[in-house]
Coordinates of all heavy atoms in Angstrom, one line a residue:
Chain P
R3 N 29.4 14.8 -34.8 CA 28.8 14.6 -36.1 C 27.7 15.5 -36.4 O 27.1 16.1 -35.5 CB 28.3 13.1 -36.1 CG 29.4 12.1 -36.4 CD 28.7 10.8 -36.6 NE 29.3 9.8 -35.7 CZ 28.7 8.8 -35.1 NH1 27.4 8.7 -35.3 NH2 29.4 8.0 -34.3
Q4 N 27.4 15.7 -37.6 CA 26.3 16.6 -38.0 C 25.0 16.0 -37.6 O 24.9 14.8 -37.5 CB 26.4 16.8 -39.5 CG 27.6 17.6 -40.0 CD 27.3 18.6 -41.0 OE1 26.3 18.5 -41.7 NE2 28.1 19.7 -41.1
A5 N 24.1 16.9 -37.4 CA 22.7 16.5 -37.1 C 22.1 15.6 -38.2 O 22.5 15.8 -39.4 CB 21.8 17.7 -36.8
P6 N 21.3 14.7 -37.9 CA 20.7 13.8 -38.9 C 19.9 14.7 -39.9 O 19.2 15.6 -39.5 CB 19.9 12.8 -38.2 CG 19.6 13.4 -36.9 CD 20.8 14.3 -36.6
A7 N 20.0 14.4 -41.2 CA 19.3 15.2 -42.2 C 17.9 14.6 -42.4 O 17.0 15.4 -42.8 CB 20.0 15.1 -43.5
D9 N 14.7 11.8 -40.9 CA 14.2 11.0 -39.8 C 14.6 9.6 -39.8 O 14.8 9.0 -40.9 CB 12.6 11.1 -39.8 CG 12.1 12.2 -39.0 OD1 12.5 12.4 -37.8 OD2 11.3 13.0 -39.5
P10 N 14.8 9.0 -38.6 CA 15.0 7.5 -38.6 C 13.8 6.8 -39.1 O 12.7 7.2 -38.9 CB 15.4 7.3 -37.2 CG 14.7 8.3 -36.4 CD 14.7 9.5 -37.3
A11 N 14.0 5.6 -39.6 CA 12.9 4.8 -40.0 C 12.4 4.0 -38.8 O 12.9 3.0 -38.4 CB 13.4 3.8 -41.0
Q12 N 11.3 4.6 -38.2 CA 10.8 4.0 -37.0 C 9.7 3.1 -37.3 O 9.0 2.5 -36.3 CB 10.3 5.1 -36.0 CG 11.4 6.1 -35.6 CD 11.1 6.8 -34.3 OE1 10.8 6.1 -33.3 NE2 11.1 8.1 -34.3
E16 N 13.7 -3.3 -35.3 CA 14.2 -4.7 -35.3 C 13.6 -5.4 -34.1 O 13.5 -4.9 -33.0 CB 15.8 -4.7 -35.1 CG 16.5 -4.0 -36.2 CD 18.0 -3.8 -36.0 OE1 18.4 -4.2 -34.8 OE2 18.7 -3.3 -36.8
K21 N 16.0 -10.2 -24.1 CA 17.3 -10.3 -23.4 C 17.0 -10.6 -21.9 O 16.0 -10.2 -21.4 CB 18.1 -9.0 -23.6 CG 18.5 -8.8 -25.0 CD 19.3 -7.5 -25.2 CE 19.7 -7.3 -26.7 NZ 20.4 -6.0 -26.9
H22 N 18.0 -11.2 -21.3 CA 17.8 -11.5 -19.9 C 18.9 -10.8 -19.0 O 19.1 -11.2 -17.8 CB 17.8 -13.0 -19.7 CG 16.7 -13.7 -20.4 ND1 15.4 -13.5 -20.1 CD2 16.7 -14.4 -21.6 CE1 14.6 -14.2 -20.9 NE2 15.4 -14.7 -21.9
A23 N 19.6 -9.9 -19.5 CA 20.6 -9.1 -18.7 C 20.7 -7.8 -19.4 O 20.5 -7.6 -20.6 CB 21.9 -9.8 -18.7
A24 N 21.1 -6.8 -18.6 CA 21.2 -5.4 -19.1 C 22.5 -4.8 -18.8 O 23.2 -5.3 -17.8 CB 20.1 -4.5 -18.5
A25 N 22.8 -3.8 -19.5 CA 24.1 -3.0 -19.4 C 25.3 -3.8 -19.8 O 25.2 -4.5 -20.8 CB 24.2 -2.5 -17.9
G26 N 26.4 -3.7 -19.1 CA 27.6 -4.4 -19.5 C 28.3 -3.6 -20.6 O 28.1 -2.4 -20.8
H32 N 27.6 1.9 -26.5 CA 26.5 2.8 -26.9 C 26.6 4.2 -26.3 O 26.4 5.2 -27.0 CB 25.1 2.2 -26.5 CG 24.0 2.8 -27.2 ND1 22.7 2.9 -26.7 CD2 23.8 3.3 -28.5 CE1 21.9 3.5 -27.5 NE2 22.6 3.7 -28.6
T33 N 26.9 4.3 -25.1 CA 27.1 5.6 -24.4 C 28.2 6.4 -25.1 O 28.1 7.5 -25.4 CB 27.5 5.4 -22.9 OG1 26.4 4.7 -22.3 CG2 27.8 6.7 -22.3
A39 N 29.1 11.5 -30.7 CA 28.3 11.9 -31.9 C 27.8 13.4 -31.6 O 27.7 14.2 -32.6 CB 27.2 11.0 -32.2
Q40 N 27.4 13.7 -30.4 CA 26.8 14.9 -30.2 C 27.7 15.9 -29.5 O 27.7 17.1 -29.7 CB 25.5 14.8 -29.3 CG 24.5 14.0 -30.1 CD 23.2 13.9 -29.4 OE1 22.6 15.0 -29.2 NE2 22.7 12.8 -29.0
M41 N 28.6 15.4 -28.6 CA 29.4 16.3 -27.8 C 30.8 16.4 -28.4 O 31.6 17.3 -28.0 CB 29.5 15.9 -26.3 CG 28.2 16.0 -25.6 SD 28.3 15.8 -23.8 CE 28.8 14.1 -23.7
P49 N 36.5 28.1 -20.0 CA 37.3 28.1 -18.8 C 36.5 28.4 -17.5 O 35.5 29.2 -17.6 CB 38.4 29.2 -19.0 CG 37.7 30.1 -20.0 CD 36.9 29.2 -20.9
C50 N 36.8 27.7 -16.5 CA 36.1 27.8 -15.2 C 36.4 29.2 -14.6 O 37.5 29.6 -14.7 CB 36.3 26.7 -14.3 SG 35.8 25.1 -15.0
Chain Y
E33 N 23.6 4.9 -19.1 CA 23.5 5.2 -20.5 C 22.4 6.2 -20.8 O 22.7 7.1 -21.7 CB 23.1 3.8 -21.2 CG 23.0 3.9 -22.7 CD 22.7 2.5 -23.3 OE1 22.9 1.5 -22.7 OE2 22.2 2.5 -24.5
A36 N 23.8 9.6 -20.0 CA 24.8 10.1 -21.0 C 24.0 10.6 -22.2 O 24.4 11.6 -22.8 CB 25.7 9.0 -21.4
T44 N 25.4 19.1 -26.5 CA 25.8 19.0 -27.9 C 26.4 20.2 -28.5 O 26.2 21.3 -28.0 CB 24.5 18.6 -28.8 OG1 24.9 18.4 -30.1 CG2 23.5 19.7 -28.7
L45 N 27.3 20.0 -29.4 CA 27.9 21.1 -30.1 C 27.1 21.6 -31.3 O 27.5 22.6 -31.9 CB 29.3 20.7 -30.6 CG 30.3 20.2 -29.5 CD1 31.6 19.8 -30.1 CD2 30.5 21.3 -28.5
R46 N 26.1 21.0 -31.6 CA 25.2 21.4 -32.7 C 24.4 22.6 -32.3 O 24.0 22.7 -31.1 CB 24.3 20.3 -33.1 CG 25.0 19.0 -33.6 CD 24.0 17.9 -33.7 NE 24.7 16.6 -34.0 CZ 24.2 15.4 -33.8 NH1 23.0 15.3 -33.3 NH2 24.8 14.3 -34.1
R64 N 8.4 16.8 -39.1 CA 9.5 16.1 -38.6 C 9.2 15.4 -37.3 O 8.3 15.8 -36.5 CB 10.7 17.1 -38.4 CG 11.1 17.8 -39.6 CD 11.9 16.9 -40.6 NE 12.4 17.7 -41.7 CZ 13.3 17.2 -42.5 NH1 13.7 16.0 -42.4 NH2 13.7 18.0 -43.5
S65 N 9.9 14.4 -37.0 CA 9.7 13.7 -35.7 C 10.4 14.4 -34.6 O 11.3 15.3 -34.8 CB 10.3 12.3 -35.8 OG 11.8 12.3 -35.8
Y67 N 12.4 13.2 -32.5 CA 13.8 12.8 -32.5 C 14.6 13.7 -33.4 O 15.7 14.3 -33.0 CB 14.0 11.4 -32.9 CG 15.4 11.0 -33.2 CD1 16.3 10.7 -32.1 CD2 15.9 10.8 -34.5 CE1 17.6 10.3 -32.3 CE2 17.2 10.4 -34.7 CZ 18.0 10.2 -33.6 OH 19.3 9.8 -33.9
W68 N 14.2 13.9 -34.6 CA 14.9 14.8 -35.6 C 15.0 16.2 -35.0 O 16.1 16.8 -35.1 CB 14.2 14.7 -36.9 CG 15.0 15.5 -38.0 CD1 15.9 14.9 -38.8 CD2 14.8 16.8 -38.3 NE1 16.4 15.9 -39.7 CE2 15.7 17.1 -39.4 CE3 14.1 17.9 -37.9 CZ2 15.9 18.3 -40.0 CZ3 14.2 19.2 -38.4 CH2 15.1 19.4 -39.5
Q71 N 17.6 16.5 -32.3 CA 18.9 16.2 -32.7 C 19.6 17.4 -33.4 O 20.8 17.4 -33.7 CB 18.9 15.0 -33.6 CG 18.8 13.6 -32.9 CD 20.0 13.3 -32.1 OE1 21.1 13.3 -32.6 NE2 19.8 13.0 -30.8
Q72 N 18.8 18.4 -33.8 CA 19.4 19.5 -34.5 C 20.3 20.3 -33.7 O 21.2 21.0 -34.3 CB 18.3 20.3 -35.1 CG 17.4 19.6 -36.1 CD 18.1 18.8 -37.1 OE1 18.9 19.4 -37.9 NE2 17.9 17.5 -37.2
A215 N 14.7 -7.0 -18.5 CA 16.0 -7.6 -18.6 C 16.9 -7.1 -17.4 O 17.6 -7.9 -16.7 CB 16.7 -7.4 -19.9
E218 N 16.2 -8.7 -14.2 CA 16.6 -10.1 -14.1 C 18.1 -10.3 -13.8 O 18.4 -11.0 -12.8 CB 16.3 -10.8 -15.5 CG 14.8 -11.0 -15.8 CD 14.7 -11.8 -17.1 OE1 15.3 -12.8 -17.2 OE2 13.9 -11.3 -17.9
R219 N 18.9 -9.6 -14.5 CA 20.3 -9.7 -14.3 C 21.0 -8.4 -14.7 O 20.7 -7.9 -15.8 CB 20.9 -10.9 -15.1 CG 22.4 -11.2 -14.8 CD 22.8 -12.5 -15.4 NE 22.2 -13.6 -14.7 CZ 22.7 -14.2 -13.6 NH1 23.8 -13.7 -13.1 NH2 22.2 -15.2 -13.0
K221 N 24.5 -6.3 -15.4 CA 25.9 -6.4 -15.6 C 26.4 -5.0 -15.4 O 26.4 -4.1 -16.3 CB 26.2 -6.8 -17.0 CG 25.8 -8.3 -17.3 CD 26.2 -8.7 -18.7 CE 25.9 -10.1 -19.0 NZ 26.3 -10.6 -20.3
R478 N 28.0 32.0 -16.0 CA 28.9 32.9 -15.4 C 28.3 34.3 -15.3 O 27.9 34.9 -16.3 CB 30.2 33.0 -16.1 CG 31.3 33.8 -15.5 CD 32.5 33.9 -16.3 NE 33.2 32.6 -16.4 CZ 34.0 32.0 -15.5 NH1 34.2 32.7 -14.4 NH2 34.5 30.9 -15.7
R501 N 30.6 23.1 -14.2 CA 32.0 23.7 -14.2 C 32.5 23.9 -15.6 O 33.6 24.5 -15.7 CB 32.9 22.7 -13.4 CG 32.6 22.6 -12.0 CD 32.7 23.9 -11.3 NE 32.5 23.8 -9.9 CZ 32.1 24.9 -9.1 NH1 31.9 26.0 -9.7 NH2 32.0 24.7 -7.8
G625 N 18.3 0.5 -32.2 CA 18.7 -0.2 -33.4 C 18.0 0.4 -34.7 O 18.0 -0.3 -35.7
H626 N 17.6 1.6 -34.7 CA 16.9 2.1 -35.9 C 17.9 2.3 -37.0 O 19.1 2.5 -36.8 CB 16.2 3.5 -35.6 CG 17.2 4.6 -35.4 ND1 17.8 4.9 -34.3 CD2 17.7 5.5 -36.3 CE1 18.6 5.9 -34.4 NE2 18.6 6.3 -35.7
Q627 N 17.4 2.3 -38.2 CA 18.3 2.5 -39.3 C 17.9 3.9 -39.9 O 16.8 4.3 -39.8 CB 18.0 1.4 -40.4 CG 18.3 0.0 -39.9 CD 19.8 -0.1 -39.5 OE1 20.7 0.3 -40.1 NE2 20.0 -0.8 -38.3
R629 N 16.7 6.5 -42.3 CA 15.6 6.5 -43.4 C 16.3 6.8 -44.7 O 17.0 7.7 -44.9 CB 14.6 7.5 -43.1 CG 13.5 7.5 -44.1 CD 12.4 8.5 -43.7 NE 11.7 8.0 -42.5 CZ 10.7 7.1 -42.5 NH1 10.3 6.6 -43.7 NH2 10.1 6.7 -41.4
A635 N 8.4 10.9 -43.5 CA 8.6 10.8 -42.0 C 7.3 11.2 -41.3 O 6.6 12.2 -41.7 CB 9.7 11.8 -41.6
R661 N 7.2 -17.1 -16.7 CA 8.2 -18.0 -16.1 C 7.7 -18.5 -14.8 O 7.3 -17.7 -13.9 CB 9.5 -17.2 -15.9 CG 10.1 -16.8 -17.2 CD 11.4 -16.1 -17.0 NE 12.0 -15.6 -18.3 CZ 11.6 -14.5 -18.8 NH1 10.7 -13.7 -18.2 NH2 12.1 -14.1 -20.0

Side-chain angles (χ1 to χ4, degrees):
Chain P
R3 275 187 236 146
Q4 294 222 333
D9 268 310
Q12 299 203 56
E16 297 173 358
K21 295 179 180 177
H22 299 290
H32 195 215
T33 298
Q40 297 188 62
M41 294 191 291
C50 297
Chain Y
E33 183 179 338
T44 180
L45 299 177
R46 300 167 185 162
R64 303 287 188 169
S65 70
Y67 169 75
W68 185 89
Q71 285 289 307
Q72 299 309 302
E218 289 186 48
R219 186 170 287 278
K221 293 184 176 181
R478 185 185 292 280
R501 293 300 185 202
H626 75 274
Q627 302 299 318
R629 179 175 293 277
R661 296 182 185 83

